[in-house]
Amino acid sequence: MILRKEQIEKNNSENLSTHKKNYEFFSEKINNAEEVIKKLIDFQVAIPSWALGTGGTRFGRFPGGGEPRNLEEKIEDIGLLHALNNSSNAISLHIPWDIPKDAEAIKTLAAQHGLRFDAMNSNTFQDQPDQKLSYKFGSMQHVDKAVRQQAIDHNIEVIKYGKELGSKSLTVWLSDGSTFPGQLNFRKSFLNVLESLQEVYEVLPADWKIFVEYKEFEPNFYSMTVGDWGQSLLYTSKLGPKAYTLVDLGHHLANANIEQIVALLLMERKLGGFHFNDSKYGDDDLTVGSIKPYQLFLIFNELVEGMDAKNMNHATDLAWMIDASHNVKDPLEDLLQSVEAIMIAYAQSLIIDRKKLVEAQNNNDVATAQEILQQAYRTDVRAIVAEARLRAGAALNPLSVFRNEKIRENLIKQRGSETMATGL
Ligand code: RM4
Ligand code: MN
Ligand code: MN
């Protein structure tokens, strides 16, 4: 299904006068509204190919119908998102869940929807039906070199697929670790992973990046071999300049200060990728901004401050991606909500009075520092975000267009109600 320009325009025109009033009222309160709008238009968040179907827990899965049946339909879904919000112009593929059979055709299709290929993701945390050796006891950390080699070869194959599609990065997330004390030697497993990553790094094209994603627990519950940002930074520092740490918001112990982690990784020029989601307990993969929106804002504050300090381009110098799962909501609606939450937090971080904040910090004026941050956080920027979309030809209110135009109903008609997308 393709969303026609007229459909979006019709919906926009119905809400235009209310929007204009809101926009005038709220943009007046912001000194740099035009600059914020420009940055919002440029800012794009990739959508993972595994987030377009209904997710599940180990207890059950309750699909809603009309899920994409293949990679072509996943591209079509992301095309719909991008048409609605003009902020989702890239797809991130997980191999082997989404192997492009005809790379040229897939590339052409993506381009028709205005999409490019973001980071490629390898998968050595599951055994595939035709796989020779098992990853039950890890992949790149495995005591058996043959298993490690299989994992290395898989990553090299993923790079090959990525090259065909024009991707420029590889994300490695390993479930390697141990579930019981004594199960493995921490030092040896670290060194095995390092050596395996080095072999992958060696064949990484010169203009590619490799992202090493950490996670504190699950599926292993005693130790993870890439368990936190310190371990990831150790790997990426030892690997070299093409290696970066990837932060997934759900991959920390409860109450970890993620904004501080982000600040220090940027200081070291070692932050490369970002997976957005939200969580109450662990790797809950909930809608971005649904549980801790203030934390999201504080993270964006550090991202913007840290990137500006290094003269980085907000839109292009980090790989932004949503990594969420939708168990009870329509996946496309959930993704629209996530992107909206990201845009709001980003816009709020762009209106922080940074000069005054530095002053307050230098004067140890704690109360003023808090006031400055909260002044930005409590500013309603929704009309600014909507104005950015309007100027880019997207929807003032993506979610209501999704419903008014009966997009899910159309997808169910087209694909059926029993379809199931690949992924977790
Ligand atoms: C992991 C991690 C990875 C993602 C898989 C599906 O928990 O977040 O980024 O590729 O899930
Ligand atoms: Mn992730
Ligand atoms: Mn995760």
Side-chain angles (χ1 to χ4, degrees):
M1 178 191 178
I2 303 261
L3 198 60
R4 282 174 290 110
K5 274 260 161 265
E6 307 88 76
Q7 288 173 281
I8 293 182
E9 278 162 14
K10 186 195 81 202
N11 281 275
N12 283 354
S13 66
E14 282 160 16
N15 299 302
L16 201 58
S17 63
T18 319
H19 166 71
K20 283 289 165 210
K21 266 183 237 147
N22 283 338
Y23 176 65
E24 262 165 46
F25 181 78
F26 288 108
S27 61
E28 243 187 35
K29 302 178 196 296
I30 298 169
N31 300 331
N32 57 345
E34 281 301 316
E35 183 201 328
V36 172
I37 289 173
K38 272 198 204 92
K39 290 195 169 151
L40 288 172
I41 292 175
D42 288 346
F43 200 81
Q44 301 291 323
V45 186
I47 307 291
S49 64
W50 62 100
L52 298 156
T54 310
T57 67
R58 62 203 161 105
F59 300 108
R61 187 174 180 272
F62 305 95
E67 290 187 14
R69 292 164 292 186
N70 47 46
L71 182 51
E72 286 80 357
E73 290 182 351
K74 290 179 178 187
I75 290 174
E76 192 183 333
D77 277 13
I78 300 176
L80 286 167
L81 294 176
H82 191 48
L84 287 166
N85 65 18
N86 183 57
S87 309
S88 316
N89 80 350
I91 174 168
S92 188
L93 296 190
H94 225 298
I95 305 292
W97 293 339
D98 286 296
I99 294 183
K101 283 177 196 86
D102 179 347
E104 268 317 303
I106 288 293
K107 238 175 119 170
T108 311
L109 180 69
Q112 281 163 1
H113 290 276
L115 308 179
R116 56 173 190 83
F117 289 87
D118 200 69
M120 301 294 294
N121 299 266
S122 57
N123 182 341
T124 59
F125 49 86
Q126 290 176 320
D127 284 349
Q128 305 304 326
D130 54 351
Q131 192 177 305
K132 251 175 71 203
L133 304 164
S134 172
Y135 294 133
K136 179 172 178 186
F137 297 107
S139 57
M140 288 190 166
Q141 74 169 14
H142 205 280
V143 288
D144 181 354
K145 171 69 190 167
V147 179
R148 305 203 293 275
Q149 193 59 48
Q150 181 179 280
I152 294 164
D153 293 343
H154 167 68
N155 276 277
I156 294 174
E157 198 190 349
V158 173
I159 296 173
K160 189 199 91 199
Y161 287 126
K163 280 207 291 209
E164 290 170 4
L165 296 168
S167 167
K168 293 277 176 230
S169 48
L170 169 72
T171 297
V172 180
W173 174 68
L174 301 175
S175 66
D176 292 37
S178 63
T179 296
F180 294 100
Q183 187 183 329
L184 53 75
N185 178 300
F186 296 140
R187 193 185 61 254
K188 282 185 191 160
S189 49
F190 180 95
L191 291 173
N192 280 343
V193 168
L194 178 62
E195 188 192 275
S196 306
L197 287 172
Q198 273 161 343
E199 287 193 36
V200 175
Y201 188 88
E202 262 159 41
V203 304
L204 199 71
D207 58 345
W208 272 53
K209 294 176 181 171
I210 180 171
F211 303 135
V212 180
E213 178 176 3
Y214 60 88
K215 179 169 173 174
E216 82 293 53
F217 68 87
E218 198 204 20
N220 277 295
F221 292 105
Y222 175 60
S223 72
M224 289 287 275
T225 306
V226 195
D228 62 19
W229 72 285
Q231 290 171 50
S232 170
L233 185 59
L234 265 185
Y235 289 112
T236 56
S237 305
K238 288 175 191 291
L239 283 170
K242 292 184 288 182
Y244 295 85
T245 293
L246 185 144
V247 173
D248 181 313
L249 292 183
H251 291 191
H252 303 86
L253 292 175
N255 300 324
N257 190 333
I258 303 174
E259 50 270 34
Q260 188 178 17
I261 295 173
V262 164
L264 297 184
L265 285 172
L266 278 172
M267 180 183 80
E268 292 298 297
R269 290 193 183 278
K270 276 299 191 187
L271 182 63
F274 216 89
H275 285 179
F276 292 104
N277 48 54
D278 210 342
S279 70
K280 177 88 179 145
Y281 301 105
D283 194 20
D284 308 355
D285 279 337
L286 301 175
T287 319
V288 183
S290 61
I291 307 280
K292 291 175 275 191
Y294 190 49
Q295 184 195 48
L296 181 66
F297 161 77
L298 294 174
I299 291 168
F300 259 104
N301 169 37
E302 296 301 338
L303 286 168
V304 164
E305 201 271 343
M307 290 182 88
D308 288 350
K310 299 283 181 194
N311 275 324
M312 290 168 76
N313 182 322
H314 300 173
T316 52
D317 286 351
L318 285 196
W320 309 105
M321 191 189 93
I322 291 175
D323 192 4
S325 174
H326 334 281
N327 304 342
V328 294
K329 284 195 270 180
D330 182 306
L332 291 176
E333 293 196 356
D334 202 343
L335 288 163
L336 289 173
Q337 289 182 314
S338 279
V339 174
E340 178 82 14
I342 292 168
M343 289 300 167
I344 288 173
Y346 179 42
Q348 288 171 331
S349 72
L350 292 171
I351 60 169
I352 295 169
D353 192 333
R354 300 215 171 259
K355 247 180 84 196
K356 280 217 181 104
L357 184 60
V358 173
E359 250 170 58
Q361 289 168 347
N362 289 341
N363 295 328
N364 295 314
D365 187 347
V366 186
T368 301
Q370 178 187 330
E371 286 299 310
I372 291 165
L373 286 188
Q374 291 188 337
Q375 167 64 28
Y377 178 65
R378 289 169 180 162
T379 302
D380 189 345
V381 295
R382 289 174 299 173
I384 313 287
V385 173
E387 177 70 16
R389 274 196 300 266
L390 182 68
R391 292 197 197 172
L396 276 173
N397 186 337
L399 199 55
S400 64
V401 178
F402 183 87
R403 292 205 171 180
N404 291 345
E405 298 304 315
K406 302 201 178 322
I407 293 185
R408 180 56 64 189
E409 288 84 338
N410 276 309
L411 292 175
I412 292 175
K413 243 187 251 155
Q414 187 187 315
R415 301 170 182 170
S417 50
E418 304 292 324
T419 60
M420 185 148 151
T422 46
L424 280 180

